Amino acid sequence: MGGREVGGLANTLAAHMEYDTPGARERLARFWGTDRLPEAPGLKAVDLFEAVHRGDIKVLWIMGTNPAVSLPDSARVCEALAGCPTVIVSDCMANTDTTAFADIMLPAAGWGEKDGTVTNSERCISRQRSFLSLPTEVWPDWRILTSVACELGYAKAFQYQNPADIFREHAALSALACRASNGRQVFDIEALGQLTEARYNQLEPIQWPITLDEAGVVTGTPRLFSDGRFATDDGRARLVPIPAGLPRQIVTSRYPLVVNTGRIRDQWHTMTRTALVSRLLTHRQEPFVEIHPDDALRFGVCEEALCQLTGPGPEAFIGRARITSDQRPGEVFIPIHWSGRFASQSVATNLIAAVTDPISGQPESKHGVASLRRLACRWQARLMRRSASDELPGLAGLCDYWCRQPLTHSDSWWLAGSQTMDWESEASIWLAGEPQLIMADSAQGRFRAARVVDGRLEAVLLVDSDVGLLPDLAWLDECFAADRLSPDQRQCLLAGRSVDTEEIGALVCSCFQVGDRQIVSAIREGQATLEALGQTLKCGTNCGSCVPEIRGLLLDELTETEQ
Ligand SMILES: Nc1nc2c(c(=O)[nH]1)N[C@H]1C(S)=C(S)[C@@H](COP(=O)(O)OP(=O)(O)OC[C@H]3O[C@@H](n4cnc5c(=O)[nH]c(N)nc54)[C@H](O)[C@@H]3O)O[C@H]1N2
Ligand SMILES: Nc1nc2c(c(=O)[nH]1)N[C@H]1C(S)=C(S)[C@@H](COP(=O)(O)OP(=O)(O)OC[C@H]3O[C@@H](n4cnc5c(=O)[nH]c(N)nc54)[C@H](O)[C@@H]3O)O[C@H]1N2
Ligand SMILES: [Mo]
């Protein structure tokens, strides 16, 4: 929405005007008083990175996106970034897969630190007010852009002092576009073009198009086309017939599975911000592969096993198997969220080819092909350290798989490997110091070591052939909170089981931290409706995004009882 309205896409002009709208370019050039407006559309995202790869683009400024993870054929995007002479990245996070390629970093303000408006897809413009002060050296994006423009000699065109100045220009541009469109353009916020700073600050959410009456009252439009007229010359809708094309990549005996990609409830895109909220990583702790039971059987993969998807591209995807008949046979589903910051090899776009729609430029992001195999590992482990560093220095090479999970009191890694390890002699490397507590049971493939300094837990390593047997993660993290480990805690760390924690099971309700085991036992005790569960456990009563999962548990339990 924002991209189209402000002209933030290289292939459109501002305010919904297109390069092929007659007279639009000239009108815009006059409005801005420039003779340097590009003559033709610029490159769309996938083509842009191809041009960078070819060396046609020498300076690239990336703002508010993480293309190393989100664009198809991630390995090629990374190659392009590595080869580009000057990469500038403005982001609100210091360490992302894309900032890793930056020659110049411009620290940007994040959502709660800045001030402006946002527009939702139902055309609703809302004021967004900052509730955190700006950290030192951090600027909002508009100020970064403005000051770079001024340094480049365009100070006259970039005189904005605050977001309200920019908003008024944005409104004036919508008027320009409307007048040129003979009533076809619906995006019209001219009525907001004269807002004073004070009225801008008090702006209530409002949906465009917006009208202004004689008394100065502005009115939005909750519903479009209610007069039966569409935004075309004759008011009639245009249905555009399109020939549907098959996906470019098709399954073969070598790559027999279709790969579908998408989102999960508790993460946002490339996780740069949501992964830092430890509670949000309790719902799905690791990258995963959803597989139909028939396919699991066919490819020899069991529940919770680590498995690897390999496509025609150079990089694979590793995730933990989730076997479910919700998944269509012949197809697997993987999440788009994990990046190189959080897992060794779990970037979904590595399985996606850079094939795009000729008109929109939209890549075939929901369709890849791959083969599936169980990852052969000799050991699996969980490593937890108090340190705030997000690196696994020198150790990543010993693992076939790692996945990081920042927690409240520690950083936790899931690890797996196929090399034979001498845990007793190597524990100190993993723990970054000599362990004080050790338990080894090589017959069971089990090893435990903990480093304790002045009674306080600094690091713990738990190796097992079955990670399902490891103690509850929340319990382990709590051990790092204690100033002094209790005798019980010491004992249980070595035994590898938690004490006195109610096993809540897999987290269902993030708002109130309610797990599936708790919900199932409440159902069995007779709380057999969503409302009853909400009253006893509070689950599903805040944001509501776990309601479908609660319904699923109710359905499973109640149908089982009937049988
Ligand atoms: N295979 C596959 N690929 C997909 C998709 C899919 O379904 N499957 N979905 C596609 C879709 S729909 C989308 S929208 C994209 C999302 O892909 P991206 O937009 O690349 O993903 P984000 O993680 O949202 O990246 C936003 C970046 O901006 C930073 N950031 C956040 N706020 C600010 C700010 O105010 N200023 C600045 N300068 N930086 C900020 C964040 O830290 C982060 O690094 O992924 C696309 N890719
Ligand atoms: N929690 C969370 N919410 C988000 C986001 C997030 O990252 N996290 N991102 C936001 C953004 S930018 C976007 S664009 C939206 C995306 O929102 P959605 O598009 O709703 O989300 P996805 O999970 O990417 O994909 C939805 C479903 O499309 C199905 N699908 C894939 N291919 C096909 C097909 O060919 N036909 C049909 N019929 N279905 C298919 C997949 O199985 C998947 O279940 O979500 C927004 N909301
Ligand atoms: Mo999106």
Side-chain angles (χ1 to χ4, degrees):
M1 210 64 179
R4 288 199 316 155
E5 276 161 31
V6 305
L9 300 173
N11 58 326
T12 65
L13 297 171
H16 289 208
M17 288 182 282
E18 304 285 340
Y19 274 90
D20 60 5
T21 310
R25 211 185 132 263
E26 293 69 24
R27 230 171 277 121
L28 193 58
R30 235 175 293 131
F31 180 92
W32 275 332
T34 176
D35 55 3
R36 306 198 48 186
L37 218 54
E39 272 156 30
L43 297 170
K44 295 170 191 152
V46 172
D47 301 333
L48 175 77
F49 278 87
E50 242 348 275
V52 175
H53 203 280
R54 278 197 307 273
D56 292 353
I57 289 174
K58 312 288 183 207
V59 181
L60 182 67
W61 184 354
I62 299 166
M63 183 182 299
T65 172
N66 193 0
V69 185
S70 58
L71 281 184
D73 201 350
S74 169
R76 193 165 170 87
V77 171
C78 293
E79 261 174 39
L81 285 168
C84 183
T86 306
V87 177
I88 308 165
V89 181
S90 8
D91 204 287
C92 58
M93 306 305 291
N95 291 320
T96 74
D97 289 25
T98 301
T99 62
F101 296 99
D103 301 294
I104 300 172
M105 294 219 300
L106 301 170
W111 176 68
E113 293 161 345
K114 62 183 177 181
D115 186 59
T117 59
V118 291
T119 307
N120 280 23
S121 50
E122 33 44 310
R123 300 167 278 109
C124 189
I125 301 173
S126 312
R127 274 288 275 118
Q128 178 190 311
R129 298 169 180 93
S130 64
F131 51 87
L132 293 170
S133 51
L134 280 184
T136 41
E137 299 197 334
V138 168
W139 286 357
D141 291 301
W142 73 266
R143 192 181 282 280
I144 296 176
L145 280 164
T146 303
S147 86
V148 171
C150 292
E151 290 294 321
L152 291 175
Y154 299 102
K156 216 172 108 241
F158 286 82
Q159 302 247 319
Y160 318 108
Q161 296 304 310
N162 52 45
D165 282 346
I166 298 171
F167 189 82
R168 281 186 290 263
E169 177 177 318
H170 176 48
L173 277 167
S174 88
L176 182 82
C178 280
R179 272 197 289 282
S181 80
N182 299 323
R184 267 180 296 133
Q185 163 125 351
V186 190
F187 170 60
D188 181 359
I189 58 167
E190 182 179 10
L192 303 178
Q194 305 299 324
L195 285 187
T196 58
E197 177 94 36
R199 285 195 52 207
Y200 173 77
N201 284 334
Q202 286 154 18
L203 186 70
E204 296 279 328
I206 187 164
Q207 283 166 287
W208 59 255
I210 297 167
T211 53
L212 179 70
D213 70 10
E214 276 149 24
V217 176
V218 291
T219 313
T221 312
R223 196 176 165 93
L224 276 183
F225 313 129
S226 55
D227 61 354
R229 288 184 64 83
F230 285 92
T232 54
D233 283 335
D234 59 5
R236 298 172 66 135
R238 302 269 183 276
L239 297 181
V240 184
I242 50 151
L246 284 177
R248 190 75 63 86
Q249 297 194 82
I250 46 171
V251 291
T252 56
S253 53
R254 183 149 178 222
Y255 304 114
L257 289 165
V258 168
V259 179
N260 181 5
T261 68
R263 291 151 175 82
I264 59 174
R265 198 191 72 190
D266 287 3
Q267 294 299 333
W268 184 267
H269 296 166
T270 68
M271 297 204 330
T272 61
R273 291 163 295 159
T274 43
L276 304 181
V277 183
S278 53
R279 272 165 82 167
L280 295 179
L281 266 171
T282 35
H283 182 237
R284 296 277 182 273
Q285 297 186 8
E286 289 176 282
F288 58 86
V289 184
E290 279 180 351
I291 310 167
H292 186 274
D294 293 350
D295 289 326
L297 209 61
R298 177 153 71 117
F299 294 96
V301 171
C302 56
E303 180 72 7
E304 301 239 319
L306 284 171
C307 56
Q308 177 169 323
L309 290 165
T310 310
E315 300 281 337
F317 178 98
I318 299 177
R320 217 170 272 281
R322 292 174 52 86
I323 298 171
T324 164
S325 53
D326 290 348
Q327 178 59 57
R328 179 157 55 178
E331 186 174 302
V332 290
F333 177 88
I334 55 174
I336 62 170
H337 305 292
W338 274 268
S339 68
R341 306 296 312 163
F342 294 99
S344 51
Q345 224 186 354
S346 304
V347 174
T349 48
N350 273 321
L351 298 180
I352 303 298
V355 177
T356 57
D357 171 79
I359 296 171
S360 66
Q362 172 69 39
E364 221 168 68
S365 299
K366 302 257 178 243
H367 185 97
V369 293
S371 63
L372 173 70
R373 70 177 176 86
R374 196 191 156 110
L375 197 70
C377 28
R378 212 178 277 271
W379 53 268
Q380 296 205 43
R382 179 184 274 155
L383 173 69
M384 295 172 81
R385 284 200 200 165
R386 177 182 299 281
S387 74
S389 117
D390 58 0
E391 301 286 333
L392 203 57
L395 299 170
L398 300 173
C399 306
D400 291 348
Y401 166 76
W402 61 260
C403 168
R404 183 167 75 94
Q405 197 178 355
L407 299 172
T408 313
H409 308 290
S410 63
D411 252 339
S412 166
W413 285 270
W414 293 95
L415 308 169
S418 51
Q419 296 184 29
T420 313
M421 304 288 269
D422 180 354
W423 291 110
E424 289 209 54
S425 63
E426 284 166 26
S428 62
I429 309 173
W430 297 87
L431 299 170
E434 284 304 319
Q436 281 71 43
L437 308 175
I438 289 189
M439 190 283 296
D441 177 354
S442 49
Q444 297 288 328
R446 192 166 292 163
F447 178 79
R448 311 270 185 261
R451 189 159 75 84
V452 183
V453 175
D454 296 332
R456 207 167 79 135
L457 183 61
E458 289 297 322
V460 60
L461 174 68
L462 307 158
V463 185
D464 221 302
S465 48
D466 181 356
V467 283
L469 297 175
L470 295 183
D472 183 65
L473 194 60
W475 180 84
L476 283 167
D477 191 43
E478 275 304 311
C479 292
F480 284 86
D483 273 343
R484 184 159 276 281
L485 278 179
S486 71
D488 268 357
Q489 282 175 322
R490 283 170 179 260
Q491 203 178 357
C492 294
L493 273 177
L494 292 191
R497 64 179 170 78
S498 37
V499 263
D500 293 342
T501 46
E502 186 186 9
E503 279 283 346
I504 70 163
L507 197 72
V508 175
C509 172
S510 293
C511 299
F512 293 111
Q513 300 282 293
V514 187
D516 60 357
R517 283 195 204 149
Q518 276 171 300
I519 296 174
V520 166
S521 62
I523 298 172
R524 290 183 186 159
E525 283 159 19
Q527 318 287 330
T529 63
L530 189 63
E531 293 69 31
L533 288 167
Q535 269 167 20
T536 38
L537 298 172
K538 293 176 90 175
C539 56
T541 57
N542 188 37
C543 80
S545 54
C546 60
V547 166
E549 272 186 68
I550 302 177
R551 288 224 168 89
L553 291 172
L554 274 164
L555 198 67
D556 288 351
E557 280 303 306
L558 300 180
T559 40
E560 257 171 46
T561 328
E562 272 164 29
Q563 286 160 2

